[in-house]
Amino acid sequence: MNLPSPSSAKLASAQPGVNPIEFPLGADECELVRWQELLAQAGRELAEPLTTALERVATLTTTGRIDRAGLRTLLEEVDRARQVGIWCQQISRLASGRVRLSHERIHLTNTVQSVLAHRARELQARGIHIVQSLHEVEVQVDPSMLHGLLNALVDWWLSCAQGLVDVRVNMGPSSDTASLICQFQHRSPDLPPDQNGTHNPALDCMSWHLLTQTARTLGLVPQRQIEPSQARWTLEFPRTANGLAAGASTEAPEAGFADSINSKPLAGCHVLVVVARRDVRGLVRESMKSMGLVIDFVNSVSDAIEFCNEGLPHGIVFESSLKTPRFMQMVGSIRQEVPEFVFIELLEEGHTFEISSISPTGMARVGQAAVATSLPSALVYELTRIM
């Protein structure tokens, strides 16, 4: 199908002095404009950090020197570009039309609270504070997709919110629907209004496009209202527990969770691997490469602590030899914030495979000889259990 360019939505008479006649954009044209905007945004967010990183590398090759602060900045710039690439992959996959959704009864309020607790360090580091007003609501939705949607929402806040973010979960008038609402300041009200009448460009970042695409894939329609200094986002869930109970006799059997997201329930989840030995690192990388995970590797407890201080991953896989008192202190600190946080210990030998609920340590354990077959299973069980 050949789609017209956005400018074709405006048809003007060739006669001089005649005002242009504007026609509203059709569905195809709107979709084309949306993808053009997304591609342009991806290009901007990739080019900016990579350009500055390239300049830094050029300086390094000329002088042969880089200080610790410069190296850290370089890593941050490359990481920003990598994150944009990951978001692009996620958006493409969600928009492919091949995502299969399960429909399960999920406690929306608890899930929102869990994600906010998990991302608390990142929010606090950006000076963002959450005010919650959450009614107890259950909805029917794909669990991992809901988790991805809420994390995309937090990523959006990190890109453009300032100060307080007001988060609400409300019941609809008939109790058959529920709404997730957030409102925040995106621009200081003390600043003069934009003379061009445009809103803050940070509101249209890649995390916003991922948030929108995730909602669309779930069959939900988000609404966004932007004022000069405030933004309000609303998402309505049409199927609450009350509505499900009323229509239970006519509902088709629910699909299993393992069938959701093209049999990749962990796609987009972030796992930190703390492993010192190169051979073990290779085993872990190979076992996890087809799971759709975002994986970071560090080789010491100090690096793991520094990594987690900036923001928690969804789970940590660690080598048994690194289970030092300092590591366990980090575990205790994390579990104070997120009691069900996932840790998977890699034992030095054997075919052991224990899930956290039966392990004497309260952590899942996998023997080195079983990494290839059992580590993916451990990750799926442990991470989907808390999502």
Side-chain angles (χ1 to χ4, degrees):
M1 177 175 62
N2 295 321
L3 297 179
S5 66
S7 60
S8 67
K10 296 184 178 181
L11 303 178
S13 168
Q15 299 177 6
V18 178
N19 292 328
I21 303 173
E22 295 191 7
F23 294 96
L25 291 171
D28 288 342
E29 289 89 345
C30 286
E31 189 67 2
L32 176 62
V33 169
R34 187 174 78 90
W35 282 104
Q36 288 177 330
E37 291 174 349
L38 189 153
L39 286 171
Q41 187 67 31
R44 285 191 293 269
E45 292 192 29
L46 282 169
E48 180 184 346
L50 289 179
T51 299
T52 54
L54 185 60
E55 292 172 354
R56 209 173 300 277
V57 171
T59 302
L60 172 61
T61 57
T62 301
T63 64
R65 299 174 60 184
I66 186 170
D67 58 21
R68 189 173 182 83
L71 180 60
R72 185 180 183 86
T73 303
L74 176 61
L75 290 173
E76 289 173 352
E77 289 162 348
V78 173
D79 187 62
R80 278 173 55 198
R82 185 189 75 151
Q83 183 60 66
V84 174
I86 290 169
W87 284 335
C88 288
Q89 290 177 324
Q90 291 175 324
I91 292 169
S92 174
R93 182 170 157 276
L94 291 171
S96 69
R98 297 189 298 271
V99 175
R100 292 183 298 164
L101 304 177
S102 69
H103 299 281
E104 301 184 28
R105 185 165 168 168
I106 302 299
H107 201 293
L108 175 62
T109 311
N110 288 353
T111 307
V112 170
Q113 291 173 326
S114 174
V115 170
L116 292 179
H118 195 97
R119 306 293 298 272
R121 292 189 183 190
E122 294 168 86
L123 292 165
Q124 290 171 3
R126 298 288 183 90
I128 298 172
H129 303 280
I130 307 298
V131 178
Q132 303 179 35
S133 176
L134 309 177
H135 287 82
E136 298 286 327
V137 176
E138 291 183 318
V139 295
Q140 187 168 358
V141 70
D142 185 288
S144 62
M145 285 288 288
L146 175 61
H147 195 267
L149 181 139
L150 294 174
N151 274 289
L153 181 59
V154 174
D155 287 332
W156 186 45
W157 297 342
L158 291 171
S159 298
C160 58
Q162 300 179 11
L164 294 178
V165 176
D166 184 6
V167 182
R168 299 175 180 270
V169 172
N170 294 337
M171 291 293 296
S174 64
S175 297
D176 291 338
T177 63
S179 296
L180 172 61
I181 304 164
C182 71
Q183 184 165 329
F184 58 86
Q185 180 177 294
H186 64 85
R187 188 171 181 271
S188 173
D190 298 331
L191 294 175
D194 191 322
Q195 299 301 317
N196 297 322
T198 58
H199 63 250
N200 184 350
L203 290 165
D204 296 325
C205 58
M206 285 302 298
S207 53
W208 162 251
H209 287 287
L210 176 60
L211 174 60
T212 303
Q213 186 61 58
T214 306
R216 289 164 65 99
T217 304
L218 281 167
L220 306 175
V221 181
Q223 297 180 358
R224 186 174 73 163
Q225 298 170 294
I226 299 175
E227 298 177 358
S229 63
Q230 295 282 325
R232 179 183 176 90
W233 182 86
T234 304
L235 187 67
E236 185 173 283
F237 293 83
R239 310 176 77 184
T240 66
N242 290 345
L244 294 175
S249 60
T250 60
E251 287 287 340
E254 293 181 1
F257 176 68
D259 291 332
S260 68
I261 312 279
N262 293 332
S263 299
K264 287 187 178 181
L266 303 184
C269 283
H270 186 189
V271 174
L272 175 66
V273 180
V274 190
V275 172
R277 292 184 295 170
R278 182 175 298 177
D279 58 331
V280 178
R281 190 180 299 121
L283 282 174
V284 171
R285 181 183 285 110
E286 185 67 21
S287 71
M288 298 163 65
K289 69 179 184 180
S290 62
M291 298 182 70
L293 294 164
V294 179
I295 307 170
D296 279 294
F297 288 85
V298 296
N299 57 16
S300 71
V301 175
S302 296
D303 289 343
I305 292 171
E306 183 177 356
F307 187 98
C308 292
N309 283 339
E310 296 183 4
L312 292 178
H314 296 108
I316 293 177
V317 176
F318 68 96
E319 197 173 12
S320 182
S321 61
L322 298 177
K323 194 177 178 181
T324 62
R326 192 176 182 206
F327 181 86
M328 294 308 297
Q329 185 178 9
M330 180 188 75
V331 170
S333 174
I334 291 174
R335 285 193 162 163
Q336 281 186 343
E337 296 182 40
V338 187
E340 304 245 332
F341 189 88
V342 170
F343 290 94
I344 299 178
E345 180 179 359
L346 301 179
L347 303 178
E348 293 188 7
E349 57 184 23
H351 292 81
T352 302
F353 176 30
E354 295 176 345
I355 58 176
S356 58
S357 57
I358 64 172
S359 170
T361 65
M363 300 179 181
R365 302 199 299 176
V366 176
Q368 184 174 329
V371 166
T373 56
S374 298
L375 180 56
S377 299
L379 285 163
V380 170
Y381 177 82
E382 298 294 337
L383 289 171
T384 55
R385 176 177 56 82
I386 65 169
M387 287 167 56

